Amino acid sequence: MYILPSSLCYNRISRKLRDAGDAGRNRCILQFAIMKHVYSSEQFTTGFITELFALTDKIRANPGDFQDALKGKVIATLFYEPSTRTRLSFESAAVILGAQVISTENAREFSSAIKGETLEDTLKVVEGYADVIIMRHFEDDSAERAQKVLSVPFINAGSGKREHPTQALLDLYTIYREFGRLNNLRVACVGDLLRGRTVYSLVKSMMLFENNSFIFIAPENSRIHADMKNKLNMSNIDFIETDMLDESILRKVDVVYMTRIQKERFDNEAEYLRAKGKLILTNKLVNCMKDDAIVMHPLPRVDEIDVEVDANPRARYFTQAHNGLWVRMAILAGYKNA
Amino acid sequence: MYILPSSLCYNRISRKLRDAGDAGRNRCILQFAIMKHVYSSEQFTTGFITELFALTDKIRANPGDFQDALKGKVIATLFYEPSTRTRLSFESAAVILGAQVISTENAREFSSAIKGETLEDTLKVVEGYADVIIMRHFEDDSAERAQKVLSVPFINAGSGKREHPTQALLDLYTIYREFGRLNNLRVACVGDLLRGRTVYSLVKSMMLFENNSFIFIAPENSRIHADMKNKLNMSNIDFIETDMLDESILRKVDVVYMTRIQKERFDNEAEYLRAKGKLILTNKLVNCMKDDAIVMHPLPRVDEIDVEVDANPRARYFTQAHNGLWVRMAILAGYKNA
Amino acid sequence: MYILPSSLCYNRISRKLRDAGDAGRNRCILQFAIMKHVYSSEQFTTGFITELFALTDKIRANPGDFQDALKGKVIATLFYEPSTRTRLSFESAAVILGAQVISTENAREFSSAIKGETLEDTLKVVEGYADVIIMRHFEDDSAERAQKVLSVPFINAGSGKREHPTQALLDLYTIYREFGRLNNLRVACVGDLLRGRTVYSLVKSMMLFENNSFIFIAPENSRIHADMKNKLNMSNIDFIETDMLDESILRKVDVVYMTRIQKERFDNEAEYLRAKGKLILTNKLVNCMKDDAIVMHPLPRVDEIDVEVDANPRARYFTQAHNGLWVRMAILAGYKNA
């Protein structure tokens, strides 16, 4: 069985059993090869990404080898706000690896949260029932707080508006999978670049690799944050900004990463419609792109990608969503038996 | 292991694995012997029903032979409106066959549905995480749309007011199980025959078999639709209509199929009470029925069947609900390993 | 494999399979060694408690021996009000024992309950899909009604304001585990003693064992009910009442059982604050306790135990919550294979 070249060894069930006076089930020692908690895209390094994607490829190539990787383990999914696609992909990943899942769709209505219990107390109770906790929470600092208090491995499935590290990883994996590399790529990011968290994570992660460049295409009032531009400038990374999704740009890029424009952010309907009209990806536009270029979107989409594009050979947004299963399997498999 | 005499061969996991460059888990080839999607009672033929019920009987006789039928498979239950009994019976059927279940109780509150994602997009994402999708949806055309877009097998667990094909199948199976046949039967359908979908599916399915006849007992304002009567007339099938549930009728029937009368459909309380009073099944009435006649109800009941009837040897409504487990196991087992 | 010295033999799956004309899976005979239903703390005897805790210790010592105890069984968790910690601990217990779980987080929104179906009808349907039913319900008499109607084993996971028998058992087990006995103990119960159900169950259960005494510490308007005091007096059991959580008391006790004070019960803010101020457990107070004394709390806590106490070696409230897993495993294991 594949064993990760790990140094950090995490040992949860065996601790629980030892506390219970038992040594019998020591085949259940957990080994988290990558990092104990996955809570922020700030943790990512080229080494981590490379190792994780190698494992992801290995699982895709021989999933049967991993069907008992998490046998005997219990994974808790605590969702304080609904995010069914993320939850279902994590739960599918867990059960394909042989784990069992305990789950709450809407933890916000926990009687205990309503009664004034802190997130820390809730987590310290639940860690008694599960070997890994996967949480989505509406507060920006929730993942940071969770990883501080938990002794079982914690995976952030989205915290407030700030972090969604496994989304960032599946985005990166989709690019890696298509191009066989994460360097020397030109990426156009389109939509509301001011508010969406996915574009920030993507750009920051791609900055770790050499010679990537960016084109930011956004309406006047939704441009990418100055902080990000400063970061890019300080790292001497090329980027340009525009508010127009036109053929001259699309011809040059390897990746178009579309995001939703949120109507409610605009001052008036007319301004919204004007902005939006310039940022809809049609088949005509996609056909200007290079043959091996790809179209991505974190989904859900509303109408920023015309449905006719779905059949275009460059469309990768559903593949991208499906890649979430493989990447999350790889993350969870990091907690498998030694 | 029992192999269905199937021609249509559906192959999902193996496709997914082949995409992933793998041939190793080809023991996971799915074989859906019956039909790829089960989305409408319009699909039913005598051949399908006969084959399915033979399999249902086989599973009941030797459930142990099927305990690994869906081993390694992931079944997603997407419920856009709550229907706990239907969902739980599907999930129980799935896990008894060795599958794992990922589930959402209230998909309507999907963040992505709220954000304006189409049902088609949602399904195209979720099919990446599951081998079979079971959906309940509040829109009449949802199942039709789902089966068009999905490449994994789809089972309709109720779509709007129109279709609930597995309810129709468990109703039919209950009759088949009791009488050993689905022809030469006299069936009384009682209650709100205008709005309930179960009676339509039952009558249409029983029209496929020879020499059945029907008695429709409904309040004046809730009579069976003219379309159905035309259909019966054109097929030369005997039926009568009345608004009275009396002994002279009950003596003659093989099956009484009760349904709920919905108070809110009536113009005024007095009219409702008058209608309802004539359509309550008491033990006194049931005792007029033939010894081998049966009382059915799709449940939930309110008060249209007196609780004293529960102990009557002709009562079959709880058996009928429990038959849902076996019939759904048979449907799911159609997707088992070749 | 460990077999309980049981007389009562409950046999669900085998009955279902026999009804289905099958004898093949008779290894699935369920044996409920303890009692058929666990619905009320009134059922507890010293014999039951002793037997259950012996089994709990056995499972803790060798959990691996029990990993297939419930293999092939389906456990339904029906929660009519959210109680995620209780549900997750039951579900974790079930899957660790090899069972599969079907679950509803918010059964109150059952379409069938909304449509006017009785609890009895719902349960009679669901028992066709599961081998054991675990229910939380908002009505006081729900558990009593459930155990009357069900032929599959039923476990009460909290019924209205009255009963939560498995909470009582995990409280008792925590004391038993710490002191190796359930007699000769002095227990201080602190907080809203009038309304909380946990204190009543704890005191009544500890009255079954010899020579325990109690100190009830509550605000003026939240004192323990006169009925309980009468019961204690009639059994010649020592107790005292006070409204002050002070060092002189804490020095003498073996257990401090803290509970939440519910602000909304008080007539005015000033009175609430005055009461509450006297009933907050700080590290300074805890350090007055005997070295082997312990602090318990059914959780969730708000601020009645200062978070600095969490690190005190006498704090046991998270251990207590985690003990819920082991005790619930023992209860469920009572339904394992013969």
Side-chain angles (χ1 to χ4, degrees):
Chain A
M1 185 167 282
Y2 178 72
I3 296 180
L4 290 169
S6 164
S7 51
L8 178 65
C9 190
Y10 185 69
N11 190 323
R12 157 81 183 147
I13 284 270
S14 66
R15 179 178 60 80
K16 189 155 79 180
L17 299 191
R18 200 170 51 240
D19 290 354
D22 171 58
R25 224 165 63 154
N26 60 6
R27 72 184 175 286
C28 283
I29 290 168
L30 286 175
Q31 184 173 42
F32 191 0
I34 299 162
M35 51 183 70
K36 182 170 166 185
H37 304 299
V38 179
Y39 64 96
S40 164
S41 57
E42 303 289 339
Q43 299 173 283
F44 300 166
T45 60
T46 55
F48 167 74
I49 291 167
T50 306
E51 189 184 8
L52 182 73
F53 291 174
L55 177 57
T56 308
D57 283 345
K58 221 174 259 276
I59 292 174
R60 284 180 81 128
N62 295 295
D65 291 356
F66 292 82
Q67 68 189 7
D68 291 326
L70 297 184
K71 194 163 184 249
K73 294 199 180 34
V74 179
I75 312 290
T77 53
L78 299 185
F79 276 60
Y80 281 79
E81 56 181 18
S83 176
T84 309
R85 85 181 55 224
T86 300
R87 185 172 58 79
L88 293 184
S89 71
F90 265 117
E91 294 184 4
S92 185
V95 299
I96 292 173
L97 293 168
Q100 295 284 355
V101 173
I102 57 175
S103 176
T104 179
E105 266 195 85
N106 200 345
R108 198 168 190 167
E109 294 174 15
F110 260 38
S111 58
S112 48
I114 288 168
K115 289 173 189 161
E117 184 174 57
T118 62
L119 177 61
E120 282 79 359
D121 273 18
T122 301
L123 290 168
K124 276 152 84 177
V125 170
V126 174
E127 75 171 349
Y129 311 145
D131 299 302
V132 179
I133 293 179
I134 299 167
M135 184 176 81
R136 155 80 59 130
H137 198 282
F138 50 91
E139 283 173 13
D140 283 352
D141 65 347
S142 54
E144 184 72 26
R145 289 163 59 195
Q147 62 92 19
K148 269 185 196 145
V149 79
L150 282 172
S151 61
V152 302
F154 167 77
I155 300 171
N156 181 5
S159 50
K161 295 202 164 72
R162 206 180 292 169
E163 285 277 7
H164 193 0
T166 62
Q167 175 72 45
L169 290 169
L170 72 89
D171 288 346
L172 283 177
Y173 179 72
T174 301
I175 296 172
Y176 157 82
R177 185 87 191 159
E178 290 299 328
F179 296 97
R181 66 178 196 276
L182 286 168
N183 56 10
N184 292 305
L185 293 163
R186 188 170 298 172
V187 180
C189 301
V190 186
D192 182 348
L193 304 185
L194 184 59
R195 298 163 197 97
R197 62 187 166 195
T198 54
V199 164
Y200 280 84
S201 296
L202 180 69
V203 172
K204 278 193 294 182
S205 301
M206 293 213 63
M207 284 173 65
L208 298 171
F209 297 86
E210 282 177 13
N211 206 28
N212 293 316
S213 61
F214 303 94
I215 302 164
F216 299 115
I217 309 174
E220 185 67 30
N221 69 353
S222 303
R223 289 195 175 177
I224 199 146
H225 203 278
D227 275 4
M228 178 55 88
K229 288 188 274 189
N230 290 339
K231 224 171 252 183
L232 289 163
N233 280 326
M234 283 168 62
S235 305
N236 280 320
I237 294 173
D238 282 348
F239 69 91
I240 57 172
E241 280 192 282
T242 172
D243 64 354
M244 202 73 172
L245 182 64
D246 65 24
E247 299 186 7
S248 63
I249 288 168
L250 288 171
R251 268 191 201 101
K252 288 182 261 175
V253 301
D254 299 298
V255 176
V256 175
Y257 190 97
M258 298 294 296
T259 65
R260 224 158 28 98
I261 298 213
Q262 289 149 314
K263 192 176 173 176
E264 63 275 21
R265 312 289 189 180
F266 285 78
D267 290 337
N268 60 65
E269 180 88 5
E271 198 185 341
Y272 165 69
L273 290 174
R274 199 163 45 88
K276 206 187 67 154
K278 295 177 189 165
L279 297 176
I280 287 181
L281 199 62
T282 60
N283 226 354
K284 184 162 169 290
L285 283 169
V286 175
N287 283 330
C288 300
M289 294 168 63
K290 291 190 280 190
D291 283 351
D292 66 346
I294 61 171
V295 177
M296 295 175 67
H297 192 302
L299 303 182
R301 74 166 151 190
V302 182
D303 53 11
E304 57 278 4
I305 302 179
D306 200 295
V307 289
E308 68 188 6
V309 178
D310 295 5
N312 194 298
R314 297 173 191 86
R316 284 299 179 283
Y317 28 97
F318 290 115
T319 302
Q320 180 187 353
H322 298 172
N323 281 338
L325 180 70
W326 299 108
V327 170
R328 285 167 181 140
M329 279 176 77
I331 293 169
L332 286 170
Y335 301 96
K336 77 192 180 67
N337 302 348
Chain B
M1 186 167 279
Y2 179 73
I3 297 179
L4 290 169
S6 164
S7 51
L8 178 66
C9 191
Y10 185 68
N11 190 323
R12 157 82 182 145
I13 284 270
S14 67
R15 179 178 60 81
K16 189 155 80 180
L17 300 189
R18 201 172 48 241
D19 290 353
D22 170 59
R25 222 166 63 154
N26 60 6
R27 70 184 175 288
C28 283
I29 290 168
L30 285 175
Q31 184 173 42
F32 193 178
I34 299 161
M35 51 182 72
K36 183 171 167 185
H37 305 299
V38 179
Y39 64 96
S40 164
S41 57
E42 303 288 340
Q43 298 173 283
F44 301 166
T45 60
T46 55
F48 167 74
I49 290 168
T50 307
E51 190 184 7
L52 182 72
F53 292 174
L55 178 56
T56 308
D57 283 346
K58 221 173 257 276
I59 292 174
R60 286 181 80 129
N62 297 294
D65 290 357
F66 292 82
Q67 66 189 7
D68 291 327
L70 297 184
K71 194 162 185 249
K73 296 200 178 34
V74 179
I75 311 289
T77 53
L78 300 185
F79 276 60
Y80 281 79
E81 56 181 18
S83 176
T84 309
R85 85 181 54 223
T86 300
R87 186 173 57 80
L88 293 184
S89 70
F90 266 118
E91 294 183 4
S92 185
V95 300
I96 292 173
L97 293 168
Q100 295 284 356
V101 173
I102 58 175
S103 177
T104 179
E105 265 195 85
N106 200 346
R108 200 169 188 166
E109 293 173 17
F110 261 36
S111 58
S112 47
I114 289 168
K115 289 173 189 163
E117 184 174 59
T118 62
L119 177 61
E120 281 79 0
D121 273 17
T122 301
L123 290 168
K124 276 151 83 176
V125 170
V126 174
E127 75 171 349
Y129 311 145
D131 298 303
V132 178
I133 293 179
I134 299 167
M135 182 176 81
R136 156 81 59 132
H137 198 283
F138 49 91
E139 283 173 12
D140 283 353
D141 65 347
S142 53
E144 184 71 27
R145 289 163 58 196
Q147 62 93 18
K148 270 185 195 144
V149 79
L150 282 172
S151 62
V152 302
F154 167 77
I155 300 172
N156 179 6
S159 50
K161 295 200 165 73
R162 205 180 293 168
E163 285 277 5
H164 193 0
T166 62
Q167 175 72 44
L169 290 170
L170 72 89
D171 289 346
L172 283 177
Y173 180 72
T174 301
I175 297 172
Y176 157 82
R177 184 88 190 160
E178 289 299 326
F179 298 96
R181 67 179 195 275
L182 287 167
N183 56 9
N184 292 305
L185 293 164
R186 189 170 297 173
V187 180
C189 302
V190 185
D192 182 347
L193 304 185
L194 184 59
R195 298 161 196 100
R197 63 188 165 193
T198 54
V199 164
Y200 280 84
S201 296
L202 180 70
V203 172
K204 278 192 294 184
S205 302
M206 293 214 62
M207 284 173 66
L208 298 171
F209 297 86
E210 283 177 12
N211 206 29
N212 294 314
S213 61
F214 303 93
I215 303 164
F216 299 115
I217 309 175
E220 185 66 30
N221 68 354
S222 305
R223 290 195 174 177
I224 199 146
H225 203 278
D227 274 4
M228 179 56 90
K229 288 188 275 188
N230 291 338
K231 225 173 251 185
L232 289 163
N233 280 326
M234 282 168 62
S235 305
N236 281 319
I237 293 173
D238 282 348
F239 70 89
I240 57 173
E241 281 193 280
T242 173
D243 63 354
M244 202 73 173
L245 183 63
D246 65 25
E247 300 186 6
S248 64
I249 287 168
L250 289 171
R251 268 190 200 101
K252 289 182 260 176
V253 302
D254 299 298
V255 176
V256 175
Y257 191 96
M258 297 293 296
T259 65
R260 225 160 26 99
I261 297 212
Q262 289 148 312
K263 192 177 175 177
E264 64 275 21
R265 311 290 189 179
F266 285 79
D267 290 337
N268 60 66
E269 179 88 7
E271 199 186 340
Y272 164 69
L273 290 175
R274 198 163 47 87
K276 208 187 67 154
K278 295 176 187 165
L279 298 176
I280 287 181
L281 198 62
T282 59
N283 226 353
K284 183 161 170 289
L285 284 170
V286 175
N287 284 330
C288 299
M289 292 168 65
K290 290 190 278 189
D291 283 352
D292 66 345
I294 61 171
V295 177
M296 296 175 66
H297 192 302
L299 303 182
R301 75 167 151 189
V302 183
D303 53 11
E304 57 279 3
I305 301 179
D306 200 295
V307 288
E308 69 188 6
V309 178
D310 295 5
N312 194 298
R314 297 173 191 85
R316 285 298 180 284
Y317 28 97
F318 290 115
T319 302
Q320 180 186 353
H322 298 172
N323 281 338
L325 180 70
W326 299 109
V327 170
R328 285 166 181 139
M329 279 176 77
I331 293 169
L332 287 170
Y335 302 96
K336 77 192 179 65
N337 302 349
Chain C
M1 186 165 283
Y2 180 73
I3 297 179
L4 289 169
S6 163
S7 51
L8 178 66
C9 189
Y10 186 69
N11 190 322
R12 158 80 182 146
I13 283 271
S14 67
R15 179 178 61 80
K16 189 155 78 180
L17 299 190
R18 199 170 51 239
D19 291 353
D22 171 58
R25 223 166 62 155
N26 59 7
R27 72 185 174 287
C28 285
I29 289 169
L30 286 174
Q31 185 172 41
F32 192 178
I34 299 162
M35 51 182 71
K36 182 170 165 185
H37 304 300
V38 179
Y39 64 95
S40 165
S41 57
E42 303 288 340
Q43 298 173 284
F44 301 167
T45 60
T46 55
F48 167 74
I49 290 167
T50 306
E51 189 183 8
L52 183 73
F53 291 175
L55 178 56
T56 309
D57 282 346
K58 219 172 259 276
I59 292 174
R60 284 180 80 129
N62 295 294
D65 290 356
F66 292 82
Q67 68 189 6
D68 292 327
L70 297 184
K71 191 159 186 254
K73 294 197 180 36
V74 178
I75 312 289
T77 53
L78 300 185
F79 275 60
Y80 281 78
E81 55 182 19
S83 176
T84 309
R85 87 181 53 224
T86 300
R87 186 173 58 79
L88 293 184
S89 70
F90 265 118
E91 294 183 5
S92 186
V95 300
I96 292 173
L97 293 169
Q100 295 284 355
V101 174
I102 57 176
S103 177
T104 179
E105 266 195 83
N106 200 345
R108 199 169 190 167
E109 294 173 15
F110 260 37
S111 59
S112 48
I114 289 168
K115 288 173 190 163
E117 183 175 58
T118 63
L119 178 61
E120 281 80 358
D121 274 17
T122 302
L123 290 167
K124 276 151 84 177
V125 170
V126 174
E127 75 171 349
Y129 311 144
D131 298 302
V132 179
I133 293 179
I134 299 167
M135 183 176 81
R136 155 82 56 132
H137 198 282
F138 49 92
E139 283 174 11
D140 283 352
D141 65 347
S142 54
E144 183 72 28
R145 288 163 58 195
Q147 61 92 19
K148 268 186 196 145
V149 79
L150 281 172
S151 61
V152 302
F154 167 76
I155 300 171
N156 180 6
S159 51
K161 295 202 165 72
R162 205 180 294 168
E163 286 277 5
H164 193 1
T166 62
Q167 175 71 45
L169 289 170
L170 72 89
D171 289 346
L172 283 176
Y173 180 72
T174 301
I175 296 172
Y176 156 82
R177 184 87 189 160
E178 290 299 325
F179 296 98
R181 66 179 197 276
L182 286 168
N183 56 10
N184 292 306
L185 293 164
R186 189 171 296 173
V187 180
C189 301
V190 185
D192 182 348
L193 304 185
L194 184 59
R195 297 162 198 100
R197 62 188 165 194
T198 55
V199 165
Y200 279 85
S201 296
L202 179 70
V203 172
K204 277 193 294 182
S205 300
M206 294 213 62
M207 284 173 65
L208 298 171
F209 297 87
E210 283 177 14
N211 206 28
N212 294 313
S213 62
F214 304 93
I215 302 164
F216 300 115
I217 309 173
E220 186 67 29
N221 68 354
S222 303
R223 289 195 174 177
I224 198 144
H225 204 277
D227 274 4
M228 178 56 89
K229 288 189 273 187
N230 290 339
K231 225 172 251 185
L232 289 163
N233 280 326
M234 282 169 62
S235 305
N236 280 320
I237 294 173
D238 282 348
F239 70 91
I240 57 173
E241 280 193 282
T242 172
D243 64 354
M244 202 72 172
L245 183 63
D246 63 25
E247 299 186 6
S248 63
I249 287 168
L250 288 171
R251 268 189 201 101
K252 288 181 263 174
V253 302
D254 299 298
V255 175
V256 176
Y257 191 96
M258 297 293 295
T259 65
R260 222 159 29 98
I261 297 213
Q262 289 149 313
K263 192 176 175 178
E264 63 275 20
R265 311 288 189 182
F266 285 79
D267 290 337
N268 60 65
E269 180 88 7
E271 199 185 340
Y272 164 69
L273 289 174
R274 199 164 45 87
K276 208 188 65 156
K278 296 177 188 164
L279 297 176
I280 287 181
L281 199 63
T282 59
N283 226 353
K284 182 161 169 290
L285 283 170
V286 175
N287 283 331
C288 300
M289 293 169 64
K290 291 190 279 189
D291 283 352
D292 66 345
I294 61 171
V295 177
M296 296 174 67
H297 192 303
L299 303 182
R301 76 168 149 188
V302 182
D303 53 11
E304 58 278 3
I305 301 179
D306 200 295
V307 289
E308 69 188 6
V309 178
D310 295 6
N312 193 298
R314 295 173 192 86
R316 284 298 179 285
Y317 28 97
F318 290 116
T319 302
Q320 180 186 354
H322 298 172
N323 280 339
L325 180 70
W326 299 109
V327 170
R328 285 167 181 138
M329 279 176 77
I331 293 169
L332 287 171
Y335 302 95
K336 76 190 180 68
N337 301 350

